[in-house]
Each structure stands twice: as C-alpha cells, then as structure tokens.
C-alpha cells in the first residue's frame, strides 16, 4: 500500500531544536492544511505527547476535530468568525478566538453574553503589512475603545504576521516588528491588557531570534523544510512509500510512459511502482520566495533549474532509482539497473507532504 511515512525520530530531533530556539517563548504549533500534510489529529496527538500544547488553526472545523480527538491544550483559531452559530460552536469547544475588527469583537461579545459565558478568550489580530486580517497599527484608539467595550471577552494575546521574513532585505521585518511592539506598548500604557505577544514563525525564529517575544508560531520547521539554509540540523520527516508491482528487462530504444517523451538509451532493468500523481508524486511546485520576482538571482536559479533539473528518484537501500518518462496517475517507472530489488519491495520518494492526497494514510514510525 502507498503511504506517507513519518519518521518520529526526525520529528523528535526537530522538536528539540525548535524548543531550544524558542528560548523560553511558548511554541504554538500551526496545524493548517491538514497539519502541512502530516495529518491533523495524528500530528497534534504526537505533539501533545511531546509536551507541545499550544496550537494554531485556520478552520473552525479543524479546531473542533482536535477537541473531539482528545487535544487538551490551548487552540487558537487564527481567522475571524462573524457568525454567532460558529462562535457558539467555538466557545462550546473552548477555542481561543481572533479579533480582527470592531464588528468581529462585538459579535463575539454579544454571543458570549447570550450564552452567559463570563470569559471567552481571544487574541487581537494586527495587520502590520501582510494585508490579511486585523486592525492596522494606526488604529490604536479604535482597538482600545473596542477592547474596553467588551464585557464577556478576555484578551489573552495579540499577534501579527511577517510577510518578508525569508527575504534578504531586512527592512520590512524590522518595520513590522517595531510597529507591532510599539502598538503593544501603547495599549499597555493606556491600561489595555494585551496578553502574550507573538509575531514570529519558522523563518524568523531562525533569522531574528530577538523577535520571539512571548510565543512563536511554528509550522514548516517541524517538517525540517525551511526557507533559509539548514544550519541547525533539522531533518526531513517524511517519505512517500510504495510497492514494486513488477520488474522488467527492457531493450534499448523502448518507449516509457505517456506522450512519446522518453526512450531507453540502453538495455534497462525497470520497475513499475504503484504511486503516481494521484498520490502527490511530481506535484511539487518549486518556488523561491527568498528573492524579488525580477531579481537577477531568481532568474539565475530559474534558468539553472531549467537546464540542470535533477530528475526525481526513488530510494531502495543504497540504490538511487531515477524516474523514467512521465509519472502516471497511479504508477511510475524507475530504473533499477544494478539494484538487487524484487517485486513486493517498498521504495521511498522524498516528498513535501502538503502535496500528498489526504486519502493516503499517514503512518508514524
Ligand atoms: C502558516 C502560518 C504560520 C506558520 O508559518 P511557518 O513559516 O510554516 O512556520 C504562523 N502564523 C500564521 C498566521 C500562519 O498563517
């Protein structure tokens, strides 16, 4: 069977590094996108067993799923709710809400009042430059008035999000951080509680450790997939594992796969593997977020990638098995010349789990 295997010892390694880099700040594990493909409840349960008990989600349904599956810690819904039915569901499941506007705050307060709930927890969401969710830093007065009008909501945190942490240019990160901390200080001086302050995530945890504040929101670092050089010993945590269905000796000149796009250049021992783009193989998009779209560096890497694209390959023991021809929906053909491999053996492909179909079982081992 084709599975996404998740190496728990690699995850343990990454968690240890993250806890060290957090340097006393709380670690909020971000679990959006089926926990980056690692499986929402399986990954959250794993983290819970490792003492990570703060979580960030983007969907109310994910928050509810976590509670129904025994996740006990603090769950922050990082997106706003405006519908009182949804807010009731969130409050019933003890979810910390995000307040992104005055209207949003008032619906939450009114819903909590209707439910006779004394202290719904919420974090204030601040837009320091992403253009997505939250009050602007210039709206200090409006934020203060809004918070002071709330009767059933306790502000337990305030957060924002960097938009250019992976860029070489540090100006935007520094500006966002400065605007954010200045707003927090001003609110506190005016007697408005802000709770824990958080703005940093994986890339900024590494590049800007002094910006950790009270908590960091971490996603990609758990997977060991970073937008910056991996100088800290993070490991990749998963593989797509699939079975050898059949093995053939094919002659030079024989076609492989759809589209008449590949012919064998020599006699080749091939294997058919039962995995394809249905499962997520070959679906990865290679984007370099580090540089400006038109920068010469980006163009250089783009061209380099076009001319020297390393063909994808499977691994089996010490063998590298290059993919031959195009990947099909449920199968792929690899070159196994010189490798001692048999029908029924399992091979692995490196993969970004976000591209792995959620119907593929996640196996922690
Ligand atoms: C995705 C996300 C994160 C985590 O980002 P990583 O770079 O994967 O660590 C943190 N905060 C918010 C608001 C996010 O959307």
């Amino acid at each position: 069977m084709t599975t996404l295997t998740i190496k728990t010892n690699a995850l343990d390694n990454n968690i240890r590094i993250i806890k060290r880099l957090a340097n006393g700040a709380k670690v909020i594990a971000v679990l959006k996108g089926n926990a980056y493909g690692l499986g929402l409840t399986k990954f959250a349960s794993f983290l819970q067993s490792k003492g990570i008990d703060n979580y960030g989600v983007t969907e109310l349904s994910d928050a509810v799923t976590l509670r129904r599956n025994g996740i006990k810690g603090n769950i922050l819904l990082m997106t706003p709710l405006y519908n009182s039915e949804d807010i009731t569901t969130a409050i019933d499941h003890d979810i910390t809400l995000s307040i992104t506007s005055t209207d949003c705050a008032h619906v939450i307060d009114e819903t909590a009042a209707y439910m006779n709930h004394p202290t719904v927890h919420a974090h204030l969401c601040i837009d320091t430059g992403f253009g997505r969710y939250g009050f602007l830093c210039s709206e200090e007065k409006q934020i203060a008035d809004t918070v002071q009008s709330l009767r059933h909501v306790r502000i337990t945190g305030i957060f924002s999000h960097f938009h250019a942490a992976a860029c070489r240019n540090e100006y935007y990160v520094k500006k966002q951080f400065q605007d954010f901390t200045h707003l927090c200080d001003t609110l506190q001086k005016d007697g408005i509680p802000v709770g824990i302050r958080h703005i940093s995530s994986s890339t900024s945890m590494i590049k800007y450790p002094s910006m950790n504040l009270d908590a960091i929101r971490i996603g990609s670092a758990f997977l060991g997939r970073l937008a910056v050089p991996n100088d800290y010993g993070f490991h990749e945590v998963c593989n797509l594992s699939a079975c050898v269905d059949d093995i053939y000796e094919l002659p030079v000149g024989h076609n492989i796969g759809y589209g008449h796009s590949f012919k064998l250049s020599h006699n080749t021992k091939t294997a058919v593997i039962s995995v394809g783009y249905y499962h997520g193989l070959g679906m990865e998009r290679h984007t370099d977020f580090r540089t400006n779209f038109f920068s010469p560096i980006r163009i250089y890497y783009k061209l380099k990638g076009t001319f020297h694209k390393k063909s994808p390959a499977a691994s089996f023991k010490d063998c590298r098995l290059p993919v031959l021809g195009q990947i099909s929906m449920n199968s792929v053909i690899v070159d196994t010349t010189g490798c001692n491999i048999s029908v029924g053996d399992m091979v692995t492909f490196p993969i970004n789990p976000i591209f792995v179909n959620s119907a593929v079982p996640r196996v922690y081992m």
Side-chain angles (χ1 to χ4, degrees):
M1 190 183 34
T2 304
T3 59
L4 182 71
T5 48
I6 293 133
K7 296 173 273 187
T8 55
N9 55 354
L11 266 181
D12 281 338
N13 168 75
N14 296 350
I15 290 170
R16 254 195 317 276
I17 299 168
I18 291 164
K19 282 181 174 169
R20 182 159 52 78
L21 292 173
N23 194 20
K26 272 187 218 284
V27 176
I28 300 173
V30 176
L31 304 175
K32 64 183 176 219
N34 194 24
Y36 288 64
L38 296 180
L40 177 68
T41 53
K42 282 189 177 171
F43 187 51
S45 303
F46 182 83
L47 290 172
Q48 181 166 261
S49 75
K50 301 292 168 183
I52 290 184
D53 54 4
N54 283 280
Y55 314 94
V57 297
T58 53
E59 312 297 322
L60 174 61
S61 57
D62 284 353
V64 171
T65 302
L66 290 175
R67 283 288 184 246
R68 292 204 174 127
N69 285 275
I71 298 301
K72 302 268 186 291
N74 197 73
I75 300 175
L76 170 65
L77 178 63
M78 303 186 296
T79 51
L81 295 179
Y82 281 89
N83 172 306
S84 51
E85 224 171 283
D86 289 342
I87 295 167
T88 305
T89 304
I91 294 173
D92 279 340
H93 289 85
D94 191 22
I95 308 303
T96 302
L97 296 170
S98 287
I99 293 177
T100 59
S101 69
T102 301
D103 284 351
C104 171
H106 287 157
V107 193
I108 296 172
D109 201 43
E110 283 156 23
T111 307
Y114 183 78
M115 293 171 77
N116 223 343
H117 196 296
T119 48
V120 171
H121 288 184
H123 288 201
L124 292 167
C125 182
I126 309 299
D127 176 5
T128 53
F130 201 109
R132 176 184 82 176
Y133 305 132
F135 294 95
L136 299 177
C137 284
S138 55
E139 296 175 318
E140 193 268 337
K141 169 103 176 51
Q142 192 182 337
I143 299 169
D145 290 347
T146 301
V147 172
Q148 273 166 337
S149 73
L150 300 174
R151 293 286 161 269
H152 301 264
V153 178
R154 185 198 295 166
I155 301 302
T156 53
I158 184 167
F159 71 105
S160 190
H161 194 50
F162 289 133
H163 66 81
C167 296
R168 278 152 197 266
N169 184 342
E170 301 189 343
Y171 172 80
Y172 298 104
V173 171
K174 290 181 172 164
K175 174 91 170 76
Q176 282 187 273
F177 184 77
Q178 205 173 29
D179 291 350
F180 180 65
T181 49
H182 182 259
L183 173 69
C184 294
D185 293 347
T186 311
L187 287 169
Q188 274 170 320
K189 254 184 240 137
D190 292 348
I192 308 295
V194 299
I196 61 167
R197 301 159 304 156
H198 48 110
I199 189 169
S200 191
S201 43
S202 296
T203 305
S204 43
M205 161 188 77
I206 291 169
K207 284 180 71 181
Y208 306 96
S210 65
M211 299 184 186
N212 281 2
L213 296 177
D214 304 313
I216 52 179
R217 298 186 308 270
I218 301 300
S220 50
F222 285 116
L223 285 77
R225 301 184 70 91
L226 305 166
V228 288
N230 179 7
D231 297 331
Y232 292 86
F234 285 98
H235 293 163
E236 294 249 356
V237 300
C238 52
N239 278 317
L240 199 52
S241 308
C243 182
V244 176
D245 271 354
D246 228 335
I247 292 191
Y248 298 95
E249 301 279 354
L250 295 178
V252 60
H254 199 78
N255 176 73
I256 301 288
Y258 283 118
H260 203 71
S261 64
F262 189 89
K263 273 193 182 6
L264 293 176
S265 60
H266 47 82
N267 294 341
T268 306
K269 183 177 150 195
T270 61
V272 185
I273 314 293
S274 57
V275 60
Y277 59 78
Y278 165 73
H279 304 94
L281 191 67
M283 299 304 284
E284 203 155 344
R285 202 165 51 110
H286 296 275
T287 321
D288 190 347
F289 293 110
R290 272 167 286 182
T291 54
N292 180 290
F293 193 81
F294 292 109
S295 90
I297 300 161
R298 187 189 177 102
I299 292 166
Y300 167 75
Y301 280 111
K302 191 92 194 144
L303 288 172
K304 196 174 148 195
T306 309
F307 293 120
H308 299 283
K309 207 167 180 185
K310 220 172 134 194
S311 68
S315 296
F316 175 72
K317 294 181 178 162
D318 289 335
C319 309
R320 181 174 184 273
L321 313 174
V323 168
L324 302 174
Q326 297 197 29
I327 297 165
S328 303
M329 191 192 292
N330 279 61
S331 65
V332 64
I333 299 156
V334 298
D335 184 348
T336 61
T337 306
C339 183
N340 185 11
I341 190 168
S342 318
V343 168
D345 282 337
M346 297 296 285
V347 306
T348 61
F349 289 87
I351 192 121
N352 181 347
I354 198 73
F355 297 109
V356 178
N357 191 324
S358 57
V360 173
R362 270 63 180 166
V363 179
Y364 283 65
M365 50 187 283

